[in-house]
Amino acid sequence: MSKRDFDAWLSTFRPSINGYGYYTDFQKVYENAEKLKIEIHILNSLVGSKQIKSDFNTILHKYPDCIKAIPILLAVRENEIYCQDEKGAVNYNFNQFTQSPEQYAYFMQQTGLFDMLSNHIISNLYDYVTGVEVGLDSNGRKNRGGHQMEDLVESYLKKAHVEYYKEMYLTEIESKWDMDLSAISAEGTSTKRWDFVVKTPSILYGIETNFYTSGGYKLNETARSYKMIAEEAEKIPDFRFVWITDGGGWQKAKRNLEETFRVLETMYNITDMEHDVFSTLFR
């Protein structure tokens, strides 16, 4: 059993794991803007136009591919945009001409794009699109956040210079090392995948990682599930279960977390990794 003090351990949990690159992926922003650079610069000629509708029609006839850059001006990723008003419904395709130039001009007028361009509300369309891309990239924070804990754990595994594998299923482990994990797999009915697997000369470690910024029912279920895995793993020779978790969300689910803490000695958080726990554990 662990001799560590649970409350002291829990007090070192972090409220957030966000790194500097979490908030905006500027490389992705620049790459997305560059994909439409030519079309954007051509449309930029409409900035300040006093005859914007006729200038727009001229652009469409000479450079029809410019319509591909229109959706991003409205912060829309899709190439098709559905609109309706008292004149009817139209599904605009911006990959190819499916409407007349007049209809596309109507779209520009009704959405407010003509007004923005002709009245100098912006001065440079490429800079504007870059700003739009920054805003849209904020939607990717959830995906970036989901991988931050795994990336952090992997950085400490590399630092410990251990033999490790990412995302391995139970069946892969059993096949690769001729190990019977039926106690964990419910006699082969589970398709569980470990975030990491560490191989040492004498022990194989299955590692789960997660970080919770907020509480909820899922945390209690996770703690109970991992407690069961910890108890089942005890029956398997030369195998150890390791759980690395953190996050302020556990403050509201600490009872279930403590129950798992009491039966799982190899349960760690970010502070433990900072204190080089891997070098001791995997020696």
Side-chain angles (χ1 to χ4, degrees):
M1 294 292 182
S2 174
K3 296 180 181 179
R4 295 181 297 170
D5 181 272
F6 174 76
D7 290 325
W9 180 69
L10 186 65
S11 70
T12 64
F13 274 36
R14 314 290 170 88
S16 172
I17 196 176
N18 296 339
Y20 292 100
Y22 166 76
Y23 298 96
T24 299
D25 184 348
F26 278 105
Q27 185 59 38
K28 181 181 177 183
V29 165
Y30 301 143
E31 289 174 357
N32 286 341
E34 281 293 309
K35 291 176 183 177
L36 294 169
K37 183 177 181 180
I38 295 175
E39 291 83 358
I40 292 169
H41 280 305
I42 292 174
L43 289 177
N44 193 68
S45 65
L46 295 172
V47 173
S49 171
K50 300 304 180 183
Q51 300 177 349
I52 194 165
K53 184 174 180 180
S54 62
D55 289 343
F56 177 70
N57 286 335
T58 298
I59 286 176
L60 290 190
H61 282 99
K62 289 186 177 180
Y63 311 104
D65 280 351
C66 284
I67 63 170
K68 295 179 180 179
I70 292 176
I72 195 62
L73 303 184
L74 295 173
V76 174
R77 289 272 187 229
E78 291 77 17
N79 294 317
E80 293 187 7
I81 299 179
Y82 177 92
C83 293
Q84 65 179 33
D85 59 10
E86 67 279 359
K87 292 185 177 182
V90 180
N91 191 36
Y92 293 88
N93 188 319
F94 292 97
N95 261 338
Q96 56 185 355
F97 271 91
T98 57
Q99 306 294 328
S100 66
E102 290 73 20
Q103 188 67 56
Y104 284 111
Y106 186 77
F107 177 91
M108 297 288 286
Q109 180 68 48
Q110 296 304 109
T111 57
L113 288 175
F114 272 171
D115 181 62
M116 179 183 72
L117 292 166
S118 63
N119 291 319
H120 279 280
I121 295 176
I122 62 168
S123 59
N124 184 293
L125 204 54
Y126 188 81
D127 291 345
Y128 167 84
V129 169
T130 301
V132 169
E133 285 290 349
V134 169
L136 289 175
D137 185 69
S138 65
N139 295 326
R141 289 176 187 167
K142 183 177 181 179
N143 291 332
R144 287 194 291 273
H147 293 289
Q148 285 191 112
M149 188 61 170
E150 291 181 14
D151 292 342
L152 183 63
V153 170
E154 185 172 13
S155 71
Y156 282 103
L157 289 174
K158 290 179 178 178
K159 183 180 178 181
H161 302 291
V162 296
E163 178 185 347
Y164 75 91
Y165 303 83
K166 294 180 66 174
E167 299 180 346
M168 287 193 76
Y169 286 94
L170 286 174
T171 53
E172 294 178 294
I173 297 172
E174 290 178 321
S175 176
K176 185 176 181 64
W177 289 290
D178 191 24
M179 178 173 286
D180 181 8
L181 299 180
S182 58
I184 294 177
S185 66
E187 301 301 326
T189 61
S190 171
T191 57
K192 179 171 179 53
R193 185 185 70 179
W194 300 98
D195 292 328
F196 298 96
V197 173
V198 170
K199 179 68 173 67
T200 68
S202 58
I203 301 293
L204 192 70
Y205 296 88
I207 304 174
E208 286 292 291
T209 68
N210 40 50
F211 188 97
Y212 296 104
T213 56
S214 58
Y217 181 74
K218 183 179 180 180
L219 278 73
N220 289 325
E221 282 297 301
T222 298
R224 283 193 288 264
S225 173
Y226 286 0
K227 179 184 177 183
M228 184 179 298
I229 292 176
E231 293 170 342
E232 293 168 341
E234 287 292 324
K235 307 171 187 176
I236 304 174
D238 305 326
F239 181 85
R240 298 289 183 275
F241 170 46
V242 178
W243 183 18
I244 304 166
T245 192
D246 211 308
W250 283 115
Q251 299 295 336
K252 295 182 179 180
K254 61 181 182 179
R255 179 186 299 179
N256 292 92
L257 186 67
E258 184 174 8
E259 288 181 5
T260 308
F261 181 85
R262 298 302 175 197
V263 301
L264 182 60
E265 293 185 10
T266 50
M267 184 173 174
Y268 307 108
N269 61 13
I270 294 174
T271 298
D272 293 323
M273 291 193 295
E274 291 177 343
H275 291 165
D276 210 19
V277 68
F278 286 166
S279 293
T280 303
L281 179 64
F282 302 132
R283 61 186 177 186

